Amino acid sequence: WPLGQPLGGGQFIESDFWPLNTTLWVKDFKGNDRRFCYYLLKSLDLAHFNAGSGVPTLNRNHIHLLPVTVPRTVAEQRAIAHILGTLDDTIELNRRMSQTLEAMARALFKSWFIDFDPVRRNAARARNQPTPQPSPSGRGSIPPSGAAAQYRAGYEFAGLVGIARELRRKQTSAEEIFWELVRNRRFLGLEFRRQHQVGGYIADFYCHEHRLVVELDGGVHAARQEKDHKRDAWLQSRGFTVLRFTNEEVFDDPQSVLARIAAVVEEAALSSPPCLGKGGDENTELSTGSGNEVVLESCAFDHLFPDRLVDSELGPIPEGWEVGTFGDLADHPRRSIQPEQIAPNTPYIALEHMPKRCIALSEWGMSDRLESTKFQFGKGEILFGKLRPYFHKVGVAPIDGVCSTDIVVVTPKGADWFAFVLGVVSSDEFVEYTNAGSTGTKMPRTSWTDMARYELIRPPRSIAALFTRTILPSVERIVAGTHESRTLAALRDALLPKLISGEIRVKDADRFVERAGLC
């Protein structure tokens, strides 16, 4: 378990690791709870013991004799660690979810506006595939009567309805992540239902269009494998496909989880027409992007794209699209404000608050002691770090506030262009372009003038609006997760010294955590 930097930079790592020479790490906990020891050290003012001037470091000999107060029993230590760990785990869950949602948004942007996958699919259909015939009902293929009867039969088990409702209310962390990825037809245009009754069982997630059951297994499933096998056999004997994933797979590699589901859906679509539920005649495909990465794409909107590419000065582009510049679609409102005009406690974002390659801006300071001109920005506007742009600092403002003049505030020319503008300004190609045109040697800077000249392929406004409607819920979820994590971090930091010192007892802290909605 490495402590890392003294100023709150500690980490708690469950697995084995190779510590760096600059890392202070602990391996003998002398019978105490490991995670409690982690929080104990975080509660100490270890920066006070830093030695050195140019590069302050922490010498373990300075803290070995430091007196501390700890609970008498390991059980109480574990209870304290559990309360604080619950808060930290939820913060980490929000971080992972934001990371996943952003990755999927980037993949969709690349598929639609860089690789033109919908256009290429339409072209392939026009060359090789007959036009699919709609069903007499006009809602796609008709599910077999036996399947429909089996589906209705599931509702005979009315006693499970209350259980399913309770399970939906108390989702696990892995279920929350998966649900954010697939809800509202976000994934391949498929309709998933959570904690859905299928026969005499409750499926974690169910897609009726492909009679697909997805189960997320936590540690409890290791002790009930026989029951799970029996359940899976019953479902499979009645035509359902069952996919099982561990919670760790969802946490660590959600894209692989979605890729496996996409492969099953594609195989089913090739072998027979899908059983479509509400929503019409969406089809799904799995395509391969550059670098052998799997690009998960919904074909539900392919009919809005043309079916051929035409030549342009930027190379082949979809027919009817245009070549333009970034300045055609976005502005930089220079809302300058002087320090004396800034209201007290106004949020302030500087370059050091912005993470690399992450649109989630979870850190900011306050406007106290500002001494120079700043830019005003509004919640939902895009911030781009123009100093050393190769650091790739681009994010969506989660609050109203002011920022450094080394940050360019970017606003789309119309709400329909928001997601497209965000996709462009946060792309590797745009960042490389701004870096190449930067001026200055030690402190290279780009400018809005150069940014506005960036040439791009401009889709019709209707496609941009569709992309915004598709991506905006993910951006809003990222921003909401940022605010939740800050609230939880403040609660954790307030409880930490009081729990360690015994000023607040475990049962009292439990009430705080319960009010935060984590229990």
Side-chain angles (χ1 to χ4, degrees):
W1 163 73
L3 178 59
Q5 298 179 6
L7 288 173
Q11 295 178 342
F12 183 84
I13 298 177
E14 293 282 3
S15 58
D16 294 337
F17 70 99
W18 289 96
L20 300 174
N21 290 334
T22 57
T23 302
L24 174 64
W25 58 289
V26 179
K27 66 177 181 180
D28 182 6
F29 296 91
K30 300 185 181 300
N32 294 288
D33 182 75
R34 294 180 301 163
R35 199 162 193 179
F36 172 82
C37 292
Y38 163 69
Y39 286 114
L40 174 64
L41 282 169
K42 284 182 72 73
S43 71
L44 304 175
D45 183 18
L46 297 182
H48 176 72
F49 297 94
N50 280 346
S53 54
V55 183
T57 57
L58 180 66
N59 190 315
R60 66 175 186 171
N61 294 327
H62 293 161
I63 63 174
H64 270 189
L65 299 179
L66 187 67
V68 295
T69 302
V70 298
R72 292 172 180 256
T73 66
V74 175
E76 190 171 357
Q77 292 180 10
R78 288 175 182 157
I80 292 174
H82 171 73
I83 291 171
L84 299 173
T86 298
L87 299 169
D88 272 337
D89 290 346
T90 305
I91 293 171
E92 174 62 12
L93 171 64
N94 283 336
R95 187 193 68 80
R96 290 185 179 184
M97 185 179 294
S98 296
Q99 189 178 52
T100 298
L101 293 174
E102 182 176 349
M104 296 188 70
R106 289 183 190 278
L108 188 60
F109 177 85
K110 182 176 183 293
S111 176
W112 282 18
F113 304 115
I114 304 298
D115 298 332
F116 310 127
D117 287 332
V119 180
R120 298 182 190 279
R121 283 195 298 269
N122 286 341
R125 291 189 188 101
R127 288 194 306 268
N128 304 319
Q129 298 181 6
T131 303
Q133 296 299 315
S135 68
S137 66
R139 294 178 62 83
S141 303
I142 303 175
S145 58
Q150 177 62 44
Y151 181 73
R152 288 193 299 270
Y155 287 96
E156 295 176 2
F157 298 86
L160 295 179
V161 173
I163 298 176
R165 186 180 298 115
E166 184 68 11
L167 289 173
R168 282 193 291 271
R169 193 176 69 84
K170 295 183 177 180
Q171 287 189 124
T172 66
S173 296
E175 288 170 349
E176 287 181 358
I177 288 181
F178 187 83
W179 183 236
E180 283 296 324
L181 296 177
V182 304
R183 68 186 303 178
N184 298 330
R185 293 184 177 269
R186 292 175 182 173
F187 175 61
L188 297 177
L190 302 174
E191 181 184 13
F192 276 91
R193 303 164 185 173
R194 52 183 178 146
Q195 302 302 337
H196 183 74
Q197 189 177 330
V198 181
Y201 300 100
I202 296 176
D204 286 345
F205 298 92
Y206 177 64
C207 175
H208 178 53
E209 299 165 64
H210 293 277
R211 296 173 63 76
L212 174 63
V213 173
V214 176
E215 295 290 329
L216 306 185
D217 297 341
V220 67
H221 285 267
R224 47 178 287 184
Q225 291 184 2
E226 184 176 346
K227 289 184 178 180
D228 287 342
H229 289 323
K230 180 180 178 181
R231 165 196 174 111
D232 293 352
W234 186 91
L235 291 168
Q236 291 165 357
S237 69
R238 285 155 177 81
F240 296 95
T241 300
V242 182
L243 291 179
R244 286 190 175 274
F245 303 96
T246 64
N247 289 348
E248 288 70 23
E249 287 179 285
V250 177
F251 288 139
D252 298 335
D253 196 359
Q255 290 284 31
S256 294
V257 171
L258 296 180
R260 282 180 58 190
I261 295 174
V264 169
V265 169
E266 182 191 33
E267 183 179 357
L270 292 174
S271 60
S272 62
C275 169
L276 290 171
K278 294 181 293 183
D281 57 346
E282 291 96 343
N283 294 314
T284 58
E285 291 184 7
L286 181 69
S287 60
T288 304
S290 59
N292 296 323
E293 66 179 0
V294 175
V295 178
L296 307 177
E297 177 60 78
S298 168
C299 305
F301 308 116
D302 280 5
H303 65 283
L304 300 175
F305 291 77
D307 60 4
R308 74 189 190 103
L309 300 173
V310 297
D311 291 332
S312 77
E313 57 265 43
L314 294 184
I317 67 173
E319 185 178 29
W321 294 26
E322 300 176 350
V323 172
T325 64
F326 188 62
D328 295 335
L329 306 177
D331 280 322
H332 169 40
R334 294 176 174 83
R335 298 184 290 254
S336 301
I337 186 169
Q338 300 302 316
E340 61 272 14
Q341 299 173 312
I342 301 174
N345 298 322
T346 298
Y348 170 64
I349 293 181
L351 282 176
E352 59 263 28
H353 297 126
M354 300 180 67
K356 301 177 183 178
R357 295 181 173 274
C358 178
I359 66 170
L361 303 182
S362 57
E363 301 293 333
W364 57 83
M366 288 299 168
S367 58
D368 304 339
R369 302 177 184 175
L370 295 181
E371 298 178 352
S372 59
T373 302
K374 304 301 175 190
F375 284 143
Q376 291 179 293
F377 63 83
K379 181 179 180 181
E381 294 183 335
I382 302 166
L383 305 183
F384 182 92
K386 71 175 185 179
L387 176 64
R388 295 174 175 168
Y390 53 81
F391 281 138
H392 202 134
K393 294 189 172 187
V394 187
V396 177
I399 34 81
D400 298 333
V402 297
C403 65
S404 164
T405 52
D406 282 326
I407 296 173
V408 176
V409 180
V410 179
T411 60
K413 292 184 177 180
D416 290 343
W417 293 102
F418 168 77
F420 183 78
V421 167
L422 176 61
V424 171
V425 79
S426 62
S427 67
D428 289 339
E429 293 79 9
F430 185 85
V431 172
E432 289 170 5
Y433 163 83
T434 58
N435 184 54
S438 297
T439 58
T441 52
K442 293 184 178 180
M443 305 285 279
R445 284 180 172 84
T446 188
S447 67
W448 171 248
T449 302
D450 286 339
M451 293 169 64
R453 292 196 191 109
Y454 178 73
E455 292 188 317
L456 48 74
I457 299 166
R458 186 172 67 189
R461 192 182 191 99
S462 60
I463 298 292
L466 173 62
F467 185 63
T468 293
R469 289 197 302 272
T470 304
I471 298 304
L472 192 58
S474 295
V475 175
E476 291 173 343
R477 178 64 184 87
I478 290 172
V479 171
T482 292
H483 287 290
E484 181 184 48
S485 293
R486 285 180 64 89
T487 299
L488 296 177
L491 176 59
R492 177 204 60 204
D493 294 344
L495 290 176
L496 176 59
K498 297 180 183 298
L499 280 170
I500 296 295
S501 66
E503 182 180 343
I504 291 182
R505 309 305 299 172
V506 169
K507 62 180 181 180
D508 298 320
D510 270 333
R511 297 192 189 101
F512 284 109
V513 176
E514 186 173 357
R515 288 172 193 161
L518 300 175
C519 291

